[in-house]
Amino acid sequence: MSGAKVDIKVVLLGKAYAGKTSLVERYIHNRFSGDTVPYQNVITIGAAFGAKTVSVDNKNVIIGIWDTAGSERYEAMSRIYYRGAKAAIICYDLSDRSSFDRARFWIGELQKHEEGCQIHLCGTKYDLIAENPELRKIEERETAALAQDVRGKVYETSSKSGKDVALIFTNIASDYLKSLKNTEVEDNKEYMVPLRDASNKRFVCSGCKI
Amino acid sequence: MATDHREAEQPVNTSDSDFQEDVEFVETNCVPGKCNSAVFDTTDELDDLTLNLANGVIQNHRGTITSLIRKRAKRSNTLKDEEADQDLANSIASEEANSIEQSELSSELSEDENVKNGLEDLSLQDTESVPEESPSVTLIPSSSETDYVNSLEWKQQKKHIFILSESGKPIYSRHGSEDKLVTVMGVMQALVSFVQDDKDNLRSIVAGDHTFVFMNRDHLTFVGVTRGRESTQQMLLQLTYMYNQVISVLTHSTLVRTFKQHRNFDLRRPLSGAEKFFDNLLNLMDVEPGLLLTSVRCLPLDSSVRDIVSQTIVQHAKVKDLVFALIIAQNQLVALVRMKRYYLHPMDLHLIINLINASESFKAAESWTPICLPKFDATGFLQAYVSYLDEECQSCLLLLSVDIEAFYTLSECRAKIKERLDRYNALTAIGNSLQRHSYSVQQCSIGDLRHFLYKARSTAQYTSPELGPPYNTPEQQDRLFGLYHFLHDKVHSVSRPLKLLYHVGKYETLLGWVTQGFELYAVFGPLVTKNVAIHAVNKLLRWIKREEDRLFILSSVTF
């Protein structure tokens, strides 16, 4: 599935209740309803699609965002959402260890099926951590190491406060514009090939385990 | 079948046959809401249920989606890998399903009265199923679990619905977390399998003012417990809706395959996030007569407006592989367009309405989600494009396709449909109709008539006025709904179906009338006489006939 009027296809993946929909809500509509609406009521069914135009360096880029449902039964369908995606935002709840394991699973899936997809690791609900650091279940260095393995970027966001939410999408847009300019990616060339080969198998396995 | 014969409060006079001679009924050849071209799949679920009692299995329509996908593949001449896979999977699954159904059939035997009697004893003594009377009987060791089950709050719920797997694993409970009900579900499982050992099926238990209804289907056991007015048959219908909801989330093939592989599988995992569909469906059943009548309620709309809406859909959603396109506003159908030769069943439509009704997430963005419609094809998913057409999120557009890649195409269709509907002010018309709330019973200008349900059988649609005084409080609405359950049950009783029922109760007089063409359930004040009631009903039929263009969808629109 590739969007007709969309420049970049972005897909959000992650465990149920990780905060994917809230992230999109904050980014597209600049609102947050997590405090008022019980989360069971807004659980995503299937997948939701939204688009937003960003301007980077005076150029307009339309980002089409696929906000997928985290529930396990939709897993079989998820491929049609990440097929052809330029970037994937893999969300995990900073206060929920199991959601990080789920993130590893999605990384494995993407590396297996969609190699050209840039991975953005996104820890969510930062406001909770900021309030009470003891809630943090996933250390920054852990995600940094994982991100380096998959040549991805790491963010710790809060959809409640809006922290770093727009940054992810701006980065995705500027990455896209860069790749338009020079079709071959030069920045990461030196360490890109060997690392991927080395890490490929390992992550598939860790994904299978979950 | 052990049915509890409970009358509406203190019946003064119930008669069903003796007054045909003194009053003339309206000629039935001008049935309001009648239509020669079928709009819906009109097989009545109650007939199915009776069949089910005899045969044990409801025949599901199968392979429709597979054949549609094949057709599509043939057309494009490139059978893509995954489709082939899906085809294969579907055909394997349906074979599996068939073989399983056959085995189910063979193990089905007719009801045995002795077993039934034995069971009633069982339920009374062993299971604490009569909570109020026997708190002293505690066979289960006391723990936090039993404390919860014994809590007043849990016991006083009017209706309980449980779903458990064949091996007794809890899957769903209407009230309370199913985790805490492991013991209770174990008892239910024991009851069910005890009877199955004798090659029989446990169907219902009556204990005090509670009725327990059991339904086994595809490795799942559905249990309904009620102290309301629902009959066994009606509870069975509600359980069937629950079963259909499970299928709608998982498909029949997946369900059967899963339990074939792991008998002990915990079905809560694939169903996680779907609990609210079950809750919402059960809530709908308590307030929405359409589920009881297996018929659809249409939003009252001038037929010219409705024509514009459906023609707009036909013109702008003429996309291959699109099976159904519909617009729903506040649980009422605005318009339906279907592919030639394929019909939507009212039960499936109720599942669709439940999907929309239960979920807030569709209000935020366009969505794309798989849904299985058990009556249409229980073996596969249709892909549903869901999007609201107006800012207030009242009118919801659904486009159901077999093409998993069709999202962007359908999204473009939606933009065109919305633009056209805006131009013709159709969305405003829908909004106005919603604001006027249907119609009040006074509009029919019939004296003592308080409320009614009218179902046109040939179109599987029903109409009823909004609930006015005295039915303006939830308690009174509940009571009214109980009366309808009572009336519906008496008219459709398996052992003795009635054509007419005139029933005088303490607070109201009821009249139920079933013909080939329609079902009518009318509620009058308590002082009305038989003659007045019959004249009123005739007048009502004429009124509905006059309004039928507005109240019903009488022409079936296809792509």
Side-chain angles (χ1 to χ4, degrees):
Chain A
M1 218 155 36
S2 57
K5 292 171 192 158
V6 171
D7 293 322
I8 321 172
K9 178 176 168 181
V10 177
V11 62
L12 273 89
L13 299 167
K15 197 187 172 200
Y17 305 130
K20 300 177 289 298
T21 304
S22 290
L23 191 80
V24 177
E25 279 275 288
R26 169 59 77 187
Y27 179 62
I28 295 187
H29 302 292
N30 200 20
R31 63 187 175 202
F32 179 72
S33 51
D35 285 342
T36 48
V37 185
Y39 59 86
Q40 291 96 335
N41 288 0
V42 288
I43 186 171
T44 309
I45 310 298
F49 179 79
K52 181 162 174 162
T53 312
V54 272
S55 49
V56 178
D57 308 334
N58 295 325
K59 277 193 190 112
N60 280 344
V61 180
I62 303 170
I63 304 186
I65 305 163
W66 274 106
D67 172 22
T68 64
S71 312
E72 246 177 79
R73 65 172 178 281
Y74 295 113
E75 207 175 284
M77 268 194 78
S78 59
R79 238 180 115 178
I80 66 158
Y81 302 122
Y82 59 67
R83 187 188 300 150
K86 290 272 191 307
I89 302 172
I90 297 181
C91 295
Y92 55 93
D93 182 344
L94 283 168
S95 62
D96 175 9
R97 183 75 216 177
S98 65
S99 70
F100 190 63
D101 298 334
R102 195 76 191 144
R104 287 175 184 274
F105 164 81
W106 283 118
I107 291 172
E109 283 288 293
L110 285 174
Q111 293 192 322
K112 203 161 36 171
H113 301 294
E114 204 61 48
E115 284 185 58
C117 184
Q118 170 80 36
I119 290 171
H120 298 259
L121 284 167
C122 173
T124 58
K125 309 185 191 176
Y126 183 79
D127 49 290
L128 294 180
I129 308 296
E131 229 168 72
N132 181 2
E134 279 176 23
L135 286 177
R136 182 187 275 278
K137 295 280 155 29
I138 297 118
E139 296 304 322
E140 270 176 273
R141 52 186 160 77
E142 205 175 345
T143 43
L146 180 61
Q148 211 180 14
D149 277 356
V150 298
R151 299 182 302 111
K153 296 189 174 106
V154 190
Y155 308 83
E156 296 201 336
T157 66
S158 163
S159 301
K160 191 173 176 181
S161 68
K163 175 186 181 291
D164 285 356
V165 172
L167 179 70
I168 306 178
F169 294 94
T170 323
N171 279 352
I172 290 172
S174 56
D175 280 354
Y176 167 74
L177 288 174
K178 254 185 242 161
S179 73
L180 278 189
K181 266 183 220 148
N182 32 343
T183 34
E184 46 194 90
V185 194
E186 282 171 354
D187 326 7
N188 301 331
K189 209 173 189 178
E190 321 137 47
Y191 60 91
M192 151 176 134
V193 178
L195 241 188
R196 189 160 30 145
D197 279 348
S199 65
N200 209 352
K201 267 183 196 158
R202 216 178 79 210
F203 280 103
V204 169
C205 286
S206 77
C208 295
K209 231 188 309 177
I210 298 162
Chain B
M1 198 192 336
T3 50
D4 186 10
H5 194 80
R6 254 175 281 148
E7 292 288 306
E9 50 276 302
Q10 287 113 45
V12 186
N13 174 16
T14 303
S15 64
D16 52 71
S17 58
D18 62 339
F19 61 98
Q20 232 155 350
E21 54 241 57
D22 35 285
V23 199
E24 284 198 7
F25 277 89
V26 80
E27 293 157 25
T28 47
N29 57 2
C30 65
V31 177
K34 194 182 165 191
C35 163
N36 293 326
S37 64
V39 182
F40 289 99
D41 185 350
T42 53
T43 51
D44 205 314
E45 189 53 31
L46 273 169
D47 299 341
D48 275 6
L49 277 177
T50 324
L51 197 78
N52 175 38
L53 286 177
N55 294 330
V57 181
I58 286 186
Q59 289 300 317
N60 281 313
H61 303 233
R62 295 174 187 287
T64 318
I65 292 175
T66 319
S67 72
L68 278 169
I69 291 177
R70 281 223 182 91
K71 209 187 283 171
R72 170 163 173 265
K74 209 183 278 173
R75 198 181 56 233
S76 59
N77 253 339
T78 47
L79 199 86
K80 287 177 202 157
D81 294 358
E82 59 200 288
E83 281 170 0
D85 284 349
Q86 208 177 340
D87 272 3
L88 199 66
N90 277 344
S91 59
I92 291 171
S94 62
E95 273 166 32
E96 279 174 14
N98 283 339
S99 65
I100 280 167
E101 290 201 351
Q102 271 157 15
S103 63
E104 271 175 25
L105 262 171
S106 60
S107 70
E108 190 81 17
L109 279 177
S110 66
E111 207 170 323
D112 183 21
E113 210 50 48
N114 295 334
V115 175
K116 189 59 61 185
N117 292 341
L119 267 168
E120 280 175 32
D121 295 347
L122 247 177
S123 81
L124 285 170
Q125 276 125 46
D126 294 358
T127 65
E128 291 189 275
S129 50
V130 199
E132 288 89 355
E133 278 89 39
S134 57
S136 55
V137 186
T138 42
L139 290 177
I140 307 159
S142 120
S143 68
S144 65
E145 279 176 15
T146 45
D147 285 351
Y148 180 68
V149 172
N150 283 326
S151 73
L152 208 59
E153 190 204 348
W154 194 77
K155 281 202 269 185
Q156 282 185 338
Q157 297 292 351
K158 206 170 166 199
K159 189 162 72 185
H160 280 281
I161 300 279
F162 308 98
I163 309 178
L164 45 147
S165 76
E166 211 171 26
S167 53
K169 276 224 165 103
I171 295 170
Y172 170 82
S173 165
R174 170 92 189 271
H175 301 291
S177 149
E178 66 282 347
D179 278 333
K180 293 186 178 165
L181 302 170
V182 178
T183 349
V184 175
M185 299 225 185
V187 175
M188 293 178 196
Q189 179 50 30
L191 285 170
V192 168
S193 57
F194 176 78
V195 182
Q196 274 174 345
D197 276 351
D198 287 346
K199 303 256 184 307
D200 206 334
N201 264 342
L202 176 58
R203 271 160 203 161
S204 69
I205 302 172
V206 178
D209 55 356
H210 285 76
T211 308
F212 297 68
V213 180
F214 298 80
M215 184 179 89
N216 295 309
R217 211 170 283 172
D218 297 330
H219 310 276
L220 296 177
T221 303
F222 297 79
V223 184
V225 183
T226 179
R227 55 188 177 89
R229 280 283 178 74
E230 296 97 336
S231 68
T232 318
Q233 194 80 354
Q234 286 161 351
M235 283 306 287
L236 215 50
L237 179 67
Q238 300 200 353
L239 296 179
T240 307
Y241 272 110
M242 294 301 280
Y243 167 76
N244 283 355
Q245 182 64 63
V246 174
I247 297 294
S248 173
V249 173
L250 296 175
T251 76
H252 181 260
S253 326
T254 312
L255 182 67
V256 172
R257 197 171 50 239
T258 309
F259 278 110
K260 209 174 183 188
Q261 284 163 358
H262 317 276
R263 279 176 62 89
N264 257 328
F265 190 80
D266 186 355
L267 204 64
R268 277 180 304 173
R269 267 180 62 187
L271 286 178
S272 72
E275 299 89 352
K276 62 175 178 167
F277 291 131
F278 296 113
D279 291 341
N280 197 70
L281 183 65
L282 286 164
N283 291 341
L284 269 183
M285 277 191 240
D286 288 342
V287 294
E288 172 60 61
L291 287 101
L292 174 67
L293 300 173
T294 50
S295 56
V296 179
R297 184 199 202 100
C298 301
L299 180 76
L301 211 57
D302 284 341
S303 61
S304 58
V305 178
R306 211 188 299 276
D307 283 348
I308 289 173
V309 175
S310 40
Q311 283 312 317
T312 306
I313 297 176
V314 172
Q315 282 166 25
H316 297 281
K318 218 175 171 59
V319 178
K320 292 221 162 62
D321 305 312
L322 190 61
V323 191
F324 298 114
L326 50 158
I327 294 177
I328 288 167
Q330 285 178 8
N331 297 347
Q332 301 168 79
L333 184 67
V334 176
L336 167 74
V337 183
R338 58 181 180 83
M339 197 185 246
K340 279 192 191 68
R341 293 201 297 121
Y342 296 101
Y343 295 94
L344 191 60
H345 192 281
M347 283 190 103
D348 286 343
L349 185 63
H350 286 306
L351 291 181
I352 294 174
I353 288 174
N354 187 43
L355 173 81
I356 305 297
N357 191 278
S359 184
E360 288 291 308
S361 79
F362 298 127
K363 291 184 177 168
E366 301 167 74
S367 296
W368 186 235
T369 178
I371 178 175
C372 171
L373 301 175
K375 285 287 186 175
F376 177 70
D377 183 353
T379 59
F381 282 120
L382 284 172
Q383 304 300 323
Y385 169 89
V386 187
S387 172
Y388 281 91
L389 291 170
D390 49 351
E391 287 296 313
E392 297 82 37
C393 292
Q394 287 178 325
S395 314
C396 185
L397 175 74
L398 281 117
L399 304 170
L400 301 171
S401 169
V402 289
D403 181 2
I404 201 166
E405 312 266 344
F407 176 84
Y408 294 105
T409 324
L410 297 179
S411 179
E412 280 165 27
C413 292
R414 180 233 180 231
K416 278 187 243 158
I417 290 171
K418 181 177 162 45
E419 191 253 329
R420 267 290 288 268
L421 290 182
D422 272 338
R423 201 188 318 156
Y424 288 106
N425 285 328
L427 289 176
T428 329
I430 294 172
N432 287 342
S433 173
L434 285 170
Q435 235 161 31
R436 275 201 308 272
H437 302 295
S438 193
Y439 53 95
S440 75
V441 72
Q442 277 79 30
Q443 269 169 271
C444 317
S445 57
I446 298 167
D448 298 299
L449 185 66
R450 285 191 184 169
H451 197 259
F452 68 88
L453 304 177
Y454 173 88
K455 173 187 175 183
R457 295 180 95 167
S458 63
T459 44
Q461 295 167 37
Y462 86 98
T463 181
S464 75
E466 61 188 276
L467 295 157
Y471 307 113
N472 45 357
T473 63
E475 297 79 35
Q476 289 300 314
Q477 284 169 13
D478 235 34
R479 206 174 59 81
L480 177 69
F481 221 66
L483 293 175
Y484 279 132
H485 270 109
F486 165 78
L487 199 55
H488 180 268
D489 176 49
K490 285 283 161 284
V491 168
H492 289 278
S493 156
V494 186
S495 48
R496 187 162 161 263
L498 303 175
K499 284 203 168 71
L500 269 168
L501 178 71
Y502 179 75
H503 176 100
V504 183
K506 194 174 176 187
Y507 301 109
E508 44 265 290
T509 298
L510 310 174
L511 181 71
W513 184 14
V514 177
T515 72
Q516 285 266 303
F518 65 82
E519 291 173 24
L520 177 65
Y521 308 90
V523 177
F524 296 93
L527 301 174
V528 80
T529 63
K530 214 180 282 175
N531 263 327
V532 172
I534 286 160
H535 283 302
V537 162
N538 282 336
K539 203 172 162 194
L540 175 62
L541 287 176
R542 280 195 295 274
W543 182 84
I544 298 173
K545 182 75 191 165
R546 263 205 313 279
E547 299 283 320
E548 66 175 2
D549 283 341
R550 214 165 60 81
L551 301 178
F552 300 105
I553 297 179
L554 295 174
S555 59
S556 174
V557 188
T558 57
F559 288 116

